Amino acid sequence: MLKRKIMQDLIDWKNKKDKKCLLVQGARQVGKTYIIEEFGKTEYEEMIVINFKETPDASSIFTGNLDVNTLIMGLRFRYPEKKLTPGKTLIFFDEIQECEEAITSLKFWSTHKSYDVIASGSMLGIDYKRASSYPVGYVDYLQLHALDFEEFLWARNISPDMLQHLEGYYQKREHVPVAIHEKMMQLFREYMAIGGMPEVVQHFIDTEDFREADKIQRDLLRDYQYDIAHYASADEKVKAEKCYLSLSKQLLDKENHKFQYKEVESGGRAQKYYSSIDWLVRADLINLCRLVTDVMYDLDDYAREDFFRAYTSDLSLLIAMKDFGLKQHIIEDTLTKTTRGGLYECAVANILQKKGHSLYFYKNETTGKEIDFLIQSEGRVIPIEVKSGNTRATSLKWLKKRNPEIEVSYKFISGNVGENEEGIITLPLYMAMFL
């Protein structure tokens, strides 16, 4: 079983005194069903699971009155072998986006407060808009991503205490011993090649075969394309898929990683494609890193909607857009400078976004100076550069001179820990997980 951080969040939800129904959101195949069922098995005496995609006729329970007593009676008749005991039975509605009335019923389950109810499903960010009465204010939320880098390391038998030891070098800004650094860079390259989709990670652990993992990645990419075709409106299907599949070119084949509509289609313009980008964001298929016009807190006040970079929600999907040769070059560390720079940037973005950071970038049109990422913490703006080699961080130095209020900035490289006189902290790529 892959260890997931969200398990503790589920336990914390169960122990809340005044909890509502819980809605676990996330893209396809990130492990929602598996982790919720494991949680139900270990934390409850009984569990009822309704998967509305596998058993669409179960929707009949929700035709008519949606008061909890009526719904409980419907569940008892459908599952006579199950005991529905308040506080001891978990009711799990999976793929709930397939039953609008079940979405609506979450309000009444939350109000009744007698039963623990969890709902999950992909594409909820879109499909809730079709529900007759979405239960705003009556639902707790958890977001599940594919495995982050730390969870990937757990899967590769790097224990929490080993990571705590490694974090000590980060906290003290000390050089990591060569043997440890080289092993961590090997694991970081594995993560870039494999990504965090649970099925891919588990299969790779079981087989140690990159080609077998590659097959599953490509199957998942096809599944995502199916989701676009299945859930997007008729006007968006083709445009959304084109935007999505252009990401490998946008991020790995050119120096400028700003999303350009001309890479989607010759002569492509925002007027035609921006609604498709918005759809992909709401579907949890991509994440945006937006350009800001100034480096001041709150960055969201300075963010532009029309200039951004777009990243796949997990590296697995980006890598699957290229042939197997890319995976070989990642593992052997023989990438071209352009591809290496793009992939390092995507990997750091992936780590930061899975830690809950909103991402921004900055470019001064007069000087051409550009900062790869800006994040915010405790009212401070933190600039970050990602380098394909241990080159000088000229843009960071320029920014710190122009904005003396910036207390700390980071440069991530494939090399070891360092710090220069300008207060720019140099860290190995894998230490992005400690920010």
Side-chain angles (χ1 to χ4, degrees):
M1 174 185 173
L2 296 173
K3 182 180 177 183
R4 304 300 306 272
K5 296 175 182 178
I6 198 174
M7 181 63 83
Q8 185 58 52
D9 296 324
L10 292 170
I11 293 171
D12 292 343
W13 168 80
K14 181 188 181 222
N15 293 332
K16 284 174 65 174
K17 291 183 178 179
D18 192 29
K19 61 176 171 288
K20 305 170 185 176
C21 293
L22 180 66
L23 185 58
V24 179
Q25 298 175 294
R28 169 191 278 273
Q29 299 296 322
V30 295
K32 299 184 298 296
T33 300
Y34 181 81
I35 199 69
I36 294 169
E37 289 187 350
E38 286 297 314
F39 167 69
K41 292 173 186 175
T42 57
E43 297 293 326
Y44 292 85
E45 294 181 6
E46 188 73 88
M47 176 172 55
I48 290 179
V49 180
I50 297 181
N51 184 312
F52 290 103
K53 188 170 284 186
E54 289 182 357
T55 56
D57 62 311
S59 298
S60 62
I61 297 171
F62 299 86
T63 56
N65 293 334
L66 294 179
D67 65 281
V68 170
N69 290 333
T70 300
L71 295 176
I72 286 293
M73 192 58 65
L75 290 172
R76 282 178 171 158
F77 272 96
R78 185 174 181 90
Y79 304 100
E81 75 284 3
K82 299 285 188 178
K83 294 180 180 179
L84 278 83
T85 307
K88 297 182 178 180
T89 301
L90 175 65
I91 300 172
F92 175 27
F93 300 137
D94 199 8
E95 301 287 3
I96 196 173
Q97 76 280 355
E98 301 295 330
C99 181
E100 294 181 8
E101 291 77 14
I103 297 174
T104 304
S105 78
L106 296 179
K107 173 181 178 179
F108 306 110
W109 290 105
S110 289
T111 304
H112 197 273
K113 298 184 181 299
S114 296
Y115 294 90
D116 288 2
V117 177
I118 296 180
S120 78
S122 57
M123 320 304 280
L124 280 169
I126 300 170
D127 274 46
Y128 77 79
K129 294 187 175 182
R130 298 189 205 146
S132 57
S133 178
Y134 190 75
V136 176
Y138 293 91
V139 177
D140 291 325
Y141 296 91
L142 280 178
Q143 182 78 24
L144 181 62
H145 303 284
L147 275 74
D148 65 20
F149 183 50
E150 189 174 359
E151 290 171 323
F152 177 82
L153 292 173
W154 293 343
R156 296 299 278 153
N157 294 319
I158 304 298
S159 64
D161 67 293
M162 294 166 70
L163 291 178
Q164 187 176 12
H165 179 78
L166 182 66
E167 189 173 5
Y169 296 106
Y170 162 78
Q171 297 288 355
K172 297 173 185 176
R173 313 297 189 224
E174 289 182 353
H175 195 275
V176 180
V178 173
I180 297 175
H181 172 71
E182 290 180 350
K183 180 62 177 179
M184 287 302 303
M185 282 305 302
Q186 175 198 329
L187 291 167
F188 188 78
R189 287 192 291 271
E190 281 186 9
Y191 184 66
M192 288 193 294
I194 296 298
M197 298 301 279
E199 185 181 2
V200 181
V201 174
Q202 188 64 64
H203 198 75
F204 177 67
I205 290 170
D206 293 340
T207 66
E208 296 285 340
D209 190 325
F210 285 101
R211 286 196 179 275
E212 290 299 315
D214 186 74
K215 291 177 184 177
I216 298 175
Q217 286 174 315
R218 295 182 190 285
D219 287 343
L220 288 173
L221 180 59
R222 281 190 290 270
D223 287 344
Y224 272 52
Q225 291 174 257
Y226 167 80
D227 270 359
I228 294 172
H230 181 69
Y231 290 103
S233 66
D235 291 340
E236 297 295 350
K237 292 180 192 293
V238 175
K239 292 188 295 180
E241 184 174 14
K242 281 185 176 181
C243 287
Y244 190 63
L245 295 179
S246 78
L247 292 185
S248 63
K249 186 186 299 183
Q250 305 268 5
L251 298 168
L252 302 179
D253 294 348
K254 59 188 181 74
E255 294 284 351
N256 178 12
H257 300 146
K258 181 178 77 70
F259 189 91
Q260 296 175 312
Y261 295 100
K262 68 180 183 180
E263 299 293 347
V264 179
E265 176 185 68
S266 179
R269 300 172 65 86
Q271 184 178 6
K272 179 177 180 180
Y273 284 104
Y274 187 76
S275 62
S276 302
I277 293 294
D278 183 56
W279 188 94
L280 291 168
V281 171
R282 290 187 289 115
D284 293 321
L285 297 182
I286 65 172
N287 297 301
L288 300 188
C289 175
R290 293 182 289 161
L291 176 72
V292 291
T293 56
D294 206 346
V295 184
M296 295 178 63
Y297 185 85
D298 183 347
L299 290 171
D300 209 45
D301 294 336
Y302 302 94
R304 293 184 57 173
E305 297 295 330
D306 53 342
F307 284 86
F308 55 87
R309 297 173 184 154
Y311 300 101
T312 55
S313 56
D314 188 73
L315 292 169
S316 272
L317 289 313
L318 179 67
I319 298 302
M321 294 177 189
K322 292 289 191 178
D323 64 29
F324 183 76
L326 175 61
K327 200 176 265 79
Q328 289 181 303
H329 284 300
I330 293 171
I331 298 304
E332 295 169 4
D333 198 19
T334 55
L335 295 165
T336 65
K337 181 181 178 182
T338 297
T339 303
R340 180 186 291 112
L343 193 56
Y344 284 176
E345 178 189 305
C346 292
V348 172
N350 182 267
I351 289 172
L352 294 175
Q353 286 168 331
K354 287 178 178 176
K355 288 180 71 66
H357 290 292
S358 295
L359 298 184
Y360 309 85
F361 74 101
Y362 175 75
K363 184 172 184 179
N364 184 286
E365 295 297 338
T366 303
T367 64
K369 301 295 186 185
E370 185 169 346
I371 306 298
D372 293 327
F373 297 117
L374 299 164
I375 61 173
Q376 300 183 125
S377 177
E378 299 178 350
R380 298 180 304 160
V381 174
I382 301 173
I384 296 169
E385 280 200 355
V386 182
K387 297 292 187 181
S388 58
N390 192 12
T391 54
R392 300 179 69 181
T394 55
S395 293
L396 278 180
K397 293 176 184 177
W398 171 85
L399 185 72
K400 286 177 68 65
K401 186 175 181 180
R402 185 172 178 266
N403 300 79
E405 72 277 5
I406 293 175
E407 299 177 21
V408 63
S409 58
Y410 295 96
K411 180 177 73 169
F412 286 100
I413 61 171
S414 57
N416 217 308
V417 177
E419 185 168 3
N420 64 23
E421 66 277 6
E422 288 88 356
I424 298 170
I425 300 167
T426 300
L427 296 172
L429 291 157
Y430 52 81
M431 282 192 176
M433 64 180 168
F434 296 136
L435 285 189

